[in-house]
Amino acid sequence: LVTGGSGGIGTAVLRAFHQRGACVYCLDRQGPGPALGRFVEVDVTKPEEVQAAVDLAVRDTGRLDVAVACAGLFRAGVLWKLTPEEWRSVLSVNLDGSYHFLRAIVPHLRETGGGSVVLTSAVNGERVNLIAGVTKDLTDRCRAGDLVKLAAEQVGGKGGGRPDMAQGGGSDVGA
């Protein structure tokens, strides 16, 4: 399963798994880019949609081995110029979306004895840049750093998956 699989890093992840013969599901709000596996329209800010998509994939395939959260939203600009709506939308997708995904997949991973969970982050997730792109950097830091640590503590090694973090840079998705 890959959230945000219709563009950027998500498409690169789908392509890599598809080329290796994996049964892949692209969970995204936008229509699929290249035909790589099954597309399921999902808004990661809506927990019921995430849960339904995860349940569908598990029902179709019988298990879940790898789950990758690539859905992310970027709002360029300095912190004090963002509207509250722009701020909330970034947090809803980048942080809440990862939480909803983890909440939906972990029970399935525990049921089958584990798997791998990857939360992606922008390369700037480890450093806050107060000049530009602060919302993406700040939420990625929290999402990918702290959320994966919490998940690793709570479910790692207990049959609930193997949480991990991957950082990537903007346009290097073809690599």
Side-chain angles (χ1 to χ4, degrees):
L1 292 177
V2 180
T3 66
S6 291
I9 294 170
T11 298
V13 170
L14 279 174
R15 184 176 293 115
F17 281 114
H18 185 72
Q19 288 172 345
R20 288 162 180 80
C23 176
V24 294
Y25 281 71
C26 171
L27 312 181
D28 208 320
R29 290 187 308 179
Q30 305 173 46
L36 300 170
R38 181 165 179 189
F39 172 74
V40 181
E41 187 173 347
V42 174
D43 180 344
V44 296
T45 69
K46 298 180 179 176
E48 65 280 358
E49 288 187 20
V50 175
Q51 187 67 59
V54 170
D55 291 346
L56 170 71
V58 171
R59 189 170 45 252
D60 286 354
T61 63
R63 65 178 293 121
L64 176 59
D65 295 311
V66 180
V68 185
C70 293
L73 185 60
F74 176 77
R75 296 280 189 247
V78 291
L79 186 63
W80 60 91
K81 290 186 180 182
L82 294 174
T83 67
E85 293 78 22
E86 290 171 325
W87 174 256
R88 186 68 234 152
S89 67
V90 170
L91 289 177
S92 291
V93 172
N94 296 5
L95 184 58
D96 296 345
S98 291
Y99 162 74
H100 299 317
F101 192 52
L102 281 169
R103 189 169 182 271
I105 62 175
V106 167
H108 293 292
L109 293 173
R110 291 180 62 106
E111 188 175 298
T112 60
S116 295
V117 179
V118 178
L119 303 181
T120 60
S121 166
V123 71
N124 284 334
E126 288 300 310
R127 51 188 188 267
V128 177
N129 177 349
L130 293 177
I131 304 303
V134 70
T135 57
K136 178 74 170 150
D137 296 346
L138 193 58
T139 57
D140 277 348
R141 173 189 290 196
C142 181
R143 178 180 90 165
D146 298 334
L147 191 56
V148 81
K149 289 175 189 172
L150 178 62
E153 287 174 15
Q154 293 183 355
V155 302
K158 298 176 183 166
R162 188 180 67 239
D164 200 358
M165 180 175 76
Q167 291 184 317
S171 62
D172 294 337
V173 296

